[in-house]
Amino acid sequence: MNSLLEYEGLGGQVQTVYFDPPYGVKFGSNFQPFVRKRDVKHGPDDQMIREPEMVKAYRDTWELGLHSYLSYLRDRLLLAKEMLAESGSIFVQISDDNLHHVREALDEVFGNENFVSMITFSKTSSATSELIASTSDYLLWYAKAKPMVKYNRLYQRKVLGAEGSSGYNRIELANGARRSMTVEERKNFDLLPEGAKVLTFDNLTSQRPPGDFPVEFEGNVYRPRKGYWKTGTEGMKKLVAARRVDLVGNTLRYVRYFSDFPVFPIADRWDDTGVAGFAADKLYVVQTNEKVVQRCLLMTSDPGDLVLDITCGSGTTAVIAEEWGRRWITVDTSRVPIALARQRLLTTTFPWYRLSNPVKGPGGGFVYERKLNRKGEDVGGLVPRITLKSIANNEDPEMITLVDQPEVNKQITRVCGPFTVEATIQAAMSMEEDAEGTSTQPQSSSPRVYLDRMIEVLRQSKSLSLPGNFTLQLDNVRPLADREYLHAEAVAKNGSEKIIAIAFGPEDGAISSDYVFNAAIEAMQQGFGQLFLFGFAIQAKARELLEKMKIPTAYISMTPDVVMSDLLKTTKNSEIFSITGLPDVRLEKAGKRDDGTPLYRVVLRGLDIFLPHLMDTDHIDAENLPCWMLDTNHNGMAFYASQVFFPKTSAWDNLQKSLKGQFEDSVWSHLAGTVSEPFALGDKGRIAVKVIDERGNELMATRSAEDAV
């Protein structure tokens, strides 16, 4: 672990980790299998999610139940600890179901001495229950090293009658007279006389010196009844002169005005996070409340710091980190959250915070200023804290920074900065033994063990998911011996029984075009009528080659959870395997620039999916696809999205509202369309189009300049 972190350069570099693991409840209640379908019901096979981290998160799918759940947590907490800086913090969000177990795991990894707080925050709705309803979830906050932890205190504005204003039940009238509020005034603060100042009486003594001396006030002499005055003789004179001393019974008290400090520090109970408006419209069934994540990041990190979320969800942590000038990494094993997070980041607008040092960017910090409204109330990011000490010593009040209220340039609308989406699937490699002198990505097991496991999984979960809610059953799955590229055969039941050839792609790579060609040739020579290629990924050229084979050839996508083997419950519709399609793309010539440079545009016509049970092709219209992206200079390895489109969604609504009046409606209809902007080809002379389907699968096709029409 340490060597990997040192190699990647992340060991000790992360300032804040936000971890929102599964709460350990029903399978369908936490994750969604479709990009556009948020609500998930527990039970139906077609809504079962088969991603490794998701499957592991649930007791009813784990071989060792709660023990496996805690092992899952421990492994990730150990890695998070290694990645945290010495001043770093980790927040683990959890419900009351496993709160006690998760705290035990955190104590084991971080040590109880590094426990900082258990924060209780309100949910937007209560969970249904036959007994008392649950309205709160919890954040367990641990530090890497508590004495060194970075902490920015957060504050909330005081509101009369609300939290932070208890005890303020007296007023000072415009003529200087002071009295208690009436019952009616306490119920309705609008009834307070114009110009009245709200105040309370506070303690003027302490258990420590500076002094025990007589104080003359309104013709009488007073001494501290217990302890000492909080200030010396000169300081007391200044307090009396400023009318900051008053008599309550036989005791002198300090006069504290409501406006002396217009904010109060946030503690460990956040009751306002369930208020409507704090939780944005959800893209994801378990989307985290933005206000909760924001407070965690602001408390424990500064602009320019690195933030990590090891359970991406809909990308809330990434969005909040992007807004507040933090660098971020967010991780998930499911395709759907990654697709949703990408969409959310690309279509969200952010305020433009003024920078203290523009040369350093956000790392130089934000600008905070003191501002007063027409009533003379502090409303800016800097607020004075008037105290007994500052008045007694004739000092300027301490200026407190509200880190969540930097200055905003409202003339500028900011969008997300550049980011990359990276996967663990490596470049294509052959299933054959490596040639002497060549190196490949190491496999976690021998090819024979891997193939035996794949064949056994296919035997157990023998249903292939097809578009239109169809399935194809494979029976009599058996291995083939003495074949160079084919690994198994099976009987496909689709009205008539046909024997098909089966080949599995590499365990940690993508299927290459050479492998497609050789497997198809071998299948033809052996007399098979169809070929199914199972893999975790396939190269774009290899996918395009499928249509050109003389033998009908289909690519079957495998979810990564197959490596979990017997840890899974397997049903006949487990969704382990599914048919994916090939983008139907046309590259067109679109005239020339003024300097004569040829221009091109891409038209996405849809998604073609081969249906092996019908020996036919199904077509999904481009308008019904969640997302497609264009790389105008594809190098054959990395995909760089230069244009992004979200057909038939409201994804651009937020951006459109923020930029209201600056662009015509045709711009937004174009971004939700299927035709790209004209562009010039790069030096590679090749483009790539990546389509995201309903299940978050990334499907790619490439075209060269010679293909343009």
Side-chain angles (χ1 to χ4, degrees), residues 6 27 233 265 283 424 428 431 436 493 495 500 543 576 601:
E6 290 170 4
F27 203 119
T233 55
L283 295 171
T424 55
M431 290 290 293
E436 186 175 352
K493 291 189 174 182
I500 62 169
R543 188 186 291 273
I576 290 179
R601 64 170 165 259

Side-chain angles (χ1 to χ4, degrees), residues 393-410:
N393 295 335
N394 199 26
E395 299 173 344
D396 290 332
E398 178 189 6
M399 298 301 294
I400 300 298
T401 301
L402 308 182
V403 295
D404 60 341
Q405 296 185 38
E407 287 299 297
V408 179
N409 186 337
K410 296 182 179 180

Side-chain angles (χ1 to χ4, degrees), residues 632-636 681-687 703-706:
T632 59
N633 191 29
H634 187 54
N635 62 6
L681 279 175
D683 59 340
K684 306 298 181 184
R686 177 171 52 190
I687 62 106
R703 297 288 186 273
S704 300
E706 296 78 19

Side-chain angles (χ1 to χ4, degrees), residues 132-395:
I132 191 168
S134 173
T135 61
S136 301
D137 281 340
Y138 304 90
L139 288 169
L140 293 172
W141 176 10
Y142 279 71
K144 174 74 171 288
K146 190 174 178 179
M148 301 176 64
V149 69
K150 178 182 291 187
Y151 176 53
N152 302 313
R153 188 178 296 278
L154 300 183
Y155 297 87
Q156 284 182 288
R157 297 281 177 180
K158 288 180 181 175
V159 178
L160 279 174
E163 183 182 1
S165 65
S166 61
Y168 287 91
N169 52 14
R170 296 174 179 268
I171 58 173
E172 180 180 292
L173 302 177
N175 62 6
R178 292 168 178 162
R179 65 171 174 83
S180 296
M181 293 182 187
T182 65
V183 174
E184 291 75 16
E185 288 171 341
R186 292 181 187 181
K187 292 180 179 178
N188 183 1
F189 296 108
D190 292 334
L191 298 178
L192 291 175
E194 185 175 355
K197 299 171 67 175
V198 178
L199 60 91
T200 187
F201 292 143
D202 204 351
N203 201 351
L204 194 54
T205 61
S206 71
Q207 298 301 315
R208 295 178 297 176
D212 176 7
F213 51 86
V215 174
E216 184 177 345
F217 182 77
E218 294 182 350
N220 295 312
V221 176
Y222 299 89
R223 300 182 76 95
R225 301 184 68 177
K226 291 183 179 180
Y228 305 86
W229 299 122
K230 286 186 175 180
T231 184
T233 55
E234 292 301 318
M236 187 65 75
K237 290 179 182 179
K238 291 185 175 67
L239 291 176
V240 172
R243 299 197 73 224
R244 287 293 183 141
V245 177
D246 211 333
L247 185 63
V248 179
N250 294 321
T251 305
L252 293 183
R253 304 278 285 176
Y254 173 68
V255 176
R256 185 187 304 281
Y257 293 106
F258 186 80
S259 58
D260 280 353
F261 192 42
V263 296
F264 68 97
I266 293 176
D268 61 357
R269 182 166 185 88
W270 301 348
D271 293 321
D272 57 351
T273 54
V275 178
F278 272 179
D281 294 337
K282 288 187 176 182
L283 295 171
Y284 197 52
V285 66
V286 285
Q287 183 167 319
T288 306
N289 187 307
E290 292 185 6
K291 179 64 71 173
V292 173
V293 178
Q294 176 181 309
R295 285 180 177 169
C296 293
L297 299 194
L298 292 178
M299 280 195 303
T300 59
S301 68
D302 293 323
D305 285 342
L306 179 60
V307 172
L308 171 66
D309 187 339
I310 50 182
T311 46
C312 173
S314 63
T316 299
T317 302
V319 170
I320 298 302
E322 180 71 23
E323 174 183 350
W324 291 98
R326 276 68 169 168
R327 297 173 296 132
W328 53 267
I329 300 172
T330 189
V331 182
D332 211 297
T333 57
S334 171
R335 298 176 295 268
V336 171
I338 296 299
L340 291 174
R342 179 197 286 116
Q343 171 182 313
R344 191 173 173 190
L345 285 162
L346 288 173
T347 59
T348 297
T349 58
F350 306 99
W352 182 276
Y353 298 128
R354 289 171 50 193
L355 302 176
S356 296
N357 189 339
V359 175
K360 292 184 177 180
F366 299 140
V367 173
Y368 295 88
E369 294 181 356
R370 185 184 182 190
K371 291 184 176 180
L372 301 176
N373 61 14
R374 294 180 180 178
K375 297 181 180 179
E377 299 169 334
D378 282 280
V379 293
L382 292 177
V383 295
R385 184 172 189 170
I386 301 173
T387 62
L388 182 155
K389 179 182 177 182
S390 65
I391 297 172
N393 295 335
N394 199 26
E395 299 173 344

Side-chain angles (χ1 to χ4, degrees), residues 127-134:
T128 57
S129 173
E130 294 181 0
L131 300 175
I132 191 168
S134 173

Side-chain angles (χ1 to χ4, degrees), residues 679-698:
F679 59 89
L681 279 175
D683 59 340
K684 306 298 181 184
R686 177 171 52 190
I687 62 106
V689 173
K690 183 178 287 188
V691 173
I692 310 299
D693 70 8
E694 288 285 349
R695 288 186 177 271
N697 292 304
E698 297 186 355

